[in-house]
Amino acid sequence: MIQWLFFGWCLFLGIQFGLFVHHFETQGQAGYYPRPPGVEGFLPIGSLVSLKAWLLTGHFDTVHPAALVLFLTFLAMALLAKKSFCSFICPVGTLSEGTWKLGRKLFGRNFRIWRGLDLFLQFTKYALLYFFAQLILVGMPTVAIREFLAAPYWAIADVKMLHFFTGMSLTSMVVIAVLSLLSVVYKNFWCRYLCPYGALLGLLSMLSPFKVTRREDRCINCGVCSRNCPAQIDVQHKVRVHSPECTGCLTCVSNCPEKEALSMAFWKRPVPGVAFVVIVMLLFSSGVLSGMLSDHWQTSLTYVDYQRLIPFASRLGH
Ligand code: SF4
Ligand code: SF4
């Protein structure tokens, strides 16, 4: 329910932002809608640049401050409450789950990639993460970071992102269609093999004090937890799940037929599933609220800036 609420919220933000952009693309003829800062959650690579700028210079980006606030919030969520961003908030994760469930209905099951290839493909998302970390955190000097954050391209990176979806090229359509088809057949194909954001959150989540924990004295070894885990973790044979693939979705816990055999535990103390979900939501709202209250939420760009930049968006970045 929470996943679909967030998905609906993202759609709402997308439509509102689309109307905002349309106002400027029609030179003010279409009605004006305020810009929702939440769309900046779709700018994770720029956020990584902002993060480096903040750490090195102390300057908190004012052009897309919500991007950095959301990025920091998701990192904190991963550190404290596993990859809960992936299982509760990310709209791509929600769509991905919808597609493999559709596949299960169509084919009666989801397929598994051969173990060796599966491990190799899982490595791909870490390679992509390494690429971005190397490019931005290691290779980008402070002066280049300053220039990037002051450039018109960064100012309308959100508009470019919108155009990616509204004016999709044939290549992008083919890539998305192939990934969607693969997601019907294989569980969470994008998340499991290709998402560098998920890779980063997964590595941080290994430090989380929350872990799915199995009590060997209560477990009847039915294997239901392993069979139902969307991340294909062999929960049945673990005492504590340390895997960076675990999203804290609680599917294994809610399907376990034996009372107290499996739980989400804080250090080693079991926590009710609903309490874990409340903690996840509290972490998310605290992050967003602290951004809003500390005045790191609304962009510093003015109406006139957008009037000047949006009509030329397609020419920027080429
Ligand atoms: S089913 Fe359990 S082990 Fe698998 S990802 Fe969800 S919480 Fe983690
Ligand atoms: S579902 Fe529960 S009882 Fe069955 S193997 Fe997993 S932990 Fe044990």
Side-chain angles (χ1 to χ4, degrees):
M1 192 183 74
I2 291 172
Q3 277 182 298
W4 286 107
L5 278 175
F6 271 106
F7 187 79
W9 183 246
C10 285
L11 271 185
F12 172 74
L13 293 183
I15 292 167
Q16 199 186 350
F17 184 60
L19 292 169
F20 166 82
V21 172
H22 189 55
H23 170 78
F24 293 98
E25 283 173 341
T26 58
Q27 279 79 41
Q29 285 180 24
Y32 177 78
Y33 289 81
R35 175 184 173 281
V39 293
E40 294 173 20
F42 288 88
L43 305 174
I45 297 169
S47 311
L48 196 57
V49 181
S50 301
L51 177 64
K52 184 169 176 183
W54 186 46
L55 293 177
L56 285 183
T57 66
H59 171 73
F60 203 102
D61 178 43
T62 57
V63 174
H64 291 308
L68 184 51
V69 167
L70 288 167
F71 189 57
L72 290 170
T73 302
F74 301 146
L75 296 186
M77 283 172 73
L79 261 177
L80 297 169
K82 310 237 24 109
K83 262 194 334 182
S84 46
F85 167 75
C86 302
S87 54
F88 289 94
I89 293 174
C90 177
V92 181
T94 305
L95 276 182
S96 194
E97 191 176 323
T99 45
W100 68 252
K101 283 184 174 165
L102 173 73
R104 197 167 59 182
K105 277 211 168 78
L106 290 175
F107 305 114
R109 69 185 183 104
N110 294 107
F111 295 83
R112 281 195 177 201
I113 292 180
W114 174 65
R115 183 86 188 123
L117 183 59
D118 175 64
L119 282 174
F120 173 76
L121 288 174
Q122 280 187 58
F123 174 74
T124 314
K125 64 178 184 286
Y126 295 107
L128 286 169
L129 175 64
Y130 175 78
F131 169 76
F132 287 119
Q134 178 70 25
L135 189 75
I136 296 167
L137 296 182
V138 181
M140 210 168 168
T142 314
V143 61
I145 286 177
R146 275 213 193 96
E147 278 171 12
F148 174 83
L149 295 177
Y153 181 85
W154 174 236
I156 53 155
D158 46 359
V159 180
K160 305 277 295 176
M161 179 60 82
L162 178 79
H163 286 167
F164 171 79
F165 289 106
T166 54
M168 208 176 274
S169 68
L170 185 63
T171 316
S172 306
M173 274 191 224
V174 171
V175 170
I176 289 179
V178 169
L179 286 174
S180 306
L181 285 175
L182 287 167
S183 304
V184 173
V185 184
Y186 302 110
K187 277 184 182 173
N188 298 326
F189 189 89
W190 165 262
C191 314
R192 187 172 180 79
Y193 300 124
L194 297 170
C195 180
Y197 207 165
L200 172 63
L201 299 181
L203 292 177
L204 289 176
S205 79
M206 292 174 83
L207 301 172
S208 163
F210 284 99
K211 298 271 184 284
V212 169
T213 304
R214 188 175 64 91
R215 274 185 60 178
E216 287 179 293
D217 57 327
R218 298 279 178 146
C219 174
I220 55 167
N221 282 308
C222 64
V224 166
C225 48
S226 299
R227 281 199 296 282
N228 282 284
C229 174
Q232 299 174 31
I233 297 167
D234 189 11
V235 187
Q236 180 189 359
H237 296 110
K238 305 225 181 306
V239 175
R240 275 167 77 72
V241 175
H242 293 277
S243 166
E245 295 302 314
C246 175
T247 60
C249 67
L250 302 173
T251 309
C252 55
V253 176
S254 57
N255 278 285
C256 174
E258 276 303 299
K259 204 167 174 270
E260 296 178 5
L262 199 61
S263 60
M264 180 60 86
F266 180 77
W267 298 120
K268 288 185 181 165
R269 184 172 292 195
V271 172
V274 71
F276 179 70
V277 179
V278 169
I279 290 167
V280 169
M281 289 302 105
L282 279 176
L283 287 171
F284 173 72
S285 14
S286 316
V288 172
L289 268 178
S290 48
M292 286 174 170
L293 295 176
S294 61
D295 213 9
H296 292 115
W297 192 248
Q298 297 287 348
T299 177
S300 56
L301 295 176
T302 61
Y303 184 95
V304 175
D305 290 328
Y306 282 114
Q307 217 173 17
R308 187 169 50 85
L309 289 168
I310 288 180
F312 302 102
S314 58
R315 287 191 229 162
L316 292 171
H318 289 291

